[in-house]
Amino acid sequence: MARSSSGIVAGLTAVALGAVGFLAYQASASAPERKPAAVGQPGPPAPNRPAPAADPAKPLPVPADSGTGKRVVYSVGLKRVWLVEAAEGSGGANGAPGAEPRTFAVVPSTVHPKPGGYAVTSRSGAVTGSDGVPIEHVVRFTSAEGVVVGFSARVDGSLPAPDAKKKTGGIRMSRADGDAVWAFATISTKVVVVP
């Protein structure tokens, strides 16, 4: 009896392995063809995987399509601002020779400016924002959808997401970053918006 039960187990194992092999073949035959990425070219992003975290030791580079010279660069998609001196890498907004441009994350408004070049048109030390909260160091550079758009910091230092039901133009940042924008972006300073 031992011989017949071990023969049955061996037979069932062989059938199971055959079934697994057949299913694997069917799956590979019905999968879409994937071409390998060219050498030096990144492949398509993996679905449902978060982007790799930025290395804090390596600041994000200034977007290549943001022009030249002294400018504030605002990336709508990256939700980030750069303060770029006229001679990049030779002083930066941090003031140290050879320092990288200062860059920091922001909370976008509900109304976004179109990509392009602008200039700082007005500034206010302290006002009430379009969302009804006290703000400081307001640096305005355009309007969109009938709303004035600019950089600012909430006086209470908080950074909540804006109410999606309201049209607001305040691109919010921390109070320290708001201080830096205020010192850097005087009237007529170039502001470049990139996607």
Side-chain angles (χ1 to χ4, degrees):
M1 200 100 101
R3 283 182 182 258
S4 64
S5 62
S6 65
I8 291 171
V9 172
L12 289 174
T13 302
V15 169
L17 288 174
V20 169
F22 176 72
L23 292 173
Y25 168 76
Q26 273 190 321
S28 68
S30 64
E33 182 181 345
R34 297 185 75 186
K35 296 179 182 177
V39 175
Q41 296 290 334
N48 299 326
R49 287 192 185 166
D55 180 354
K58 295 181 181 177
L60 290 175
V62 178
D65 56 348
S66 69
T68 59
K70 179 179 178 176
R71 64 202 183 280
V72 177
V73 179
Y74 169 47
S75 171
V76 176
L78 293 177
K79 301 176 185 175
R80 181 161 287 276
V81 166
W82 290 261
L83 304 180
V84 185
E85 289 289 347
E88 293 172 46
S90 65
N94 299 338
E100 292 294 322
R102 180 178 180 139
T103 182
F104 47 88
V106 296
V107 176
S109 55
T110 59
V111 173
H112 305 295
K114 292 181 180 179
Y118 303 91
V120 174
T121 55
S122 69
R123 293 163 31 108
S124 296
V127 296
T128 299
S130 57
D131 55 0
V133 301
I135 57 175
E136 65 184 359
H137 295 153
V138 182
V139 176
R140 300 174 198 90
F141 62 92
T142 191
S143 62
E145 299 179 37
V147 177
V148 175
V149 178
F151 305 109
S152 61
R154 289 174 63 128
V155 172
D156 68 7
S158 65
L159 286 169
D163 183 346
K165 294 179 231 152
K166 293 182 181 178
K167 280 186 172 184
T168 59
I171 302 161
R172 298 288 164 75
M173 58 199 63
S174 73
R175 292 185 80 188
D177 294 331
D179 291 346
V181 171
W182 180 257
F184 184 86
T186 55
I187 297 293
S188 299
T189 297
K190 186 177 4 175
V191 177
V192 180
V193 176
V194 297

